[in-house]
Amino acid sequence: MRRKTVDHTLASYAERGFPSLFDHCQIFFQEITDSDRAVAEKYGFDTAGNSSNRGIYGGVKALLESMSDDYVLFVENDCVLIENRDSAEKQLAAAVRDIDAGRAAVYRFRHLRRPGEDFATVDKYLRYYPAGPQSWINRDRGSPFMSFVRRLLRPAKARRLAGIAAYVELQPEMLFPDVFTRTADNNLIVSSRHLTWTNQAVLFRRRWVLDEILPWVAAHPSSRTVNGFPDIEKELNCRWWRQQDFRIGLAPGLFTHQRLDR
């Protein structure tokens, strides 16, 4: 376990009173130890775990099966909270309303403006689309002409990347009106045709992932693994995911990605 990262992440939750927003807070540990349980107890979290490492897919499946909650906000150990409790409460409540109403199947909560480390998808997007006039991204990144050439040569790839505009533009729905819609709470909704699944900081109905997402992942393993185990993200970066037209909600965001153990 990344001890410094986990402690830093949990401290960011405790300092803002974040756990009080939930009925149940639980940490799942691979190869769980007494020291793992001690860290969780320090911050008032319940624990579950495997005696051996089963990888991301196996861990997520075991975690969800160990719970009975309807909704789950799933965060990885390096998802640090950077917004206050009031903002978190409002964003989570809006997401639940949208999922309840069928407007979204899953909500992302990685921060749109401060996504943190290892967010290469923005660079991929900027290869196909120059930053617009209302972007907070450095305008010098990328060549408008080369972006046009890439879109011309690989239009399907360009369309798949359009959803990343939410992490680059203040009003992505103005650039891609057929890709984004705004909700009454000023969040964004985008189809899985234009945005991939992520394991980081997502809210969903537990049964939806257990009954629909994980069975497909198990039946279609990717040749690309993490330490020899299925990853979920790699398996779902595929035609099936795009064809389902799942609705993905994008809140302004609560978490940044930050690792202290390297």
Side-chain angles (χ1 to χ4, degrees), residues 44-159:
F45 280 67
D46 293 335
T47 59
N50 291 326
S51 58
S52 60
N53 190 344
R54 300 182 191 175
I56 294 172
Y57 165 82
V60 170
K61 185 173 185 291
L63 169 65
L64 297 184
E65 288 176 340
S66 73
M67 304 174 74
S68 59
D69 309 79
D70 186 15
Y71 281 99
V72 174
L73 175 65
F74 179 81
V75 294
E76 295 186 327
N77 61 18
D78 44 17
C79 293
V80 178
L81 183 65
I82 56 174
E83 295 289 343
N84 61 40
R85 186 186 184 282
D86 288 344
S87 176
E89 185 173 22
K90 291 175 182 176
Q91 290 192 44
L92 290 168
V96 169
R97 284 195 295 271
D98 282 340
I99 297 176
D100 268 346
R103 289 186 289 267
V106 58
Y107 245 89
R108 285 185 173 210
F109 281 93
R110 187 166 179 171
H111 211 280
L112 294 182
R113 295 198 192 188
R114 297 169 59 190
E117 302 168 355
D118 303 328
F119 197 58
T121 48
V122 166
D123 292 325
K124 292 178 183 177
Y125 171 86
L126 291 171
R127 285 176 54 81
Y128 286 82
Y129 300 99
Q134 293 189 336
S135 170
W136 56 79
I137 299 294
N138 186 335
R139 304 299 193 278
D140 295 331
R141 293 174 67 179
S143 160
F145 174 73
M146 288 307 301
S147 297
F148 170 76
V149 171
R150 291 187 185 100
R151 293 198 303 274
L152 191 65
L153 294 175
R154 302 189 67 185
K157 174 75 170 180
R159 292 297 293 169

Side-chain angles (χ1 to χ4, degrees), residues 101 122 171 207 245:
V122 166
Q171 294 182 297
R207 292 292 353 155
D245 193 26

